[in-house]
């Protein structure tokens, strides 16, 4: 169901960009639409404290 809504939203944004009177970067818009689920899935798989530095590993080196 999420994929259907995402495709509908992307289709609506693309249709609106095509109908604008000024030229829009359609290729950039399509690339952003394609990469958003990838970025969300990568960031969604990270632990909550992924920025925390493990100082015990740094000291052992």
């Amino acid at each position: 169901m999420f994929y259907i809504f995402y495709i509908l939203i992307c289709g609506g944004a693309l249709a609106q960009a095509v109908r604008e009177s000024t030229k829009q970067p359609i290729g950039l818009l399509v690339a952003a639409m394609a990469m958003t689920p990838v970025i969300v899935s990568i960031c969604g798989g990270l632990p909550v404290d992924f920025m925390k530095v493990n100082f015990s590993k740094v000291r052992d080196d």
Side-chain angles (χ1 to χ4, degrees), residues 23-47:
K23 292 288 184 182
Q24 301 293 322
I26 303 297
L28 184 61
L29 183 64
V30 171
M33 288 178 194
M35 292 304 294
T36 299
V38 174
I39 293 169
V40 168
S41 66
I42 290 171
C43 292
L46 293 174

Side-chain angles (χ1 to χ4, degrees), residues 4 18-19 31-33 42-43 48-49 56:
I4 294 170
V18 170
R19 290 179 44 208
M33 288 178 194
I42 290 171
C43 292
V48 174
D49 61 347
S56 63

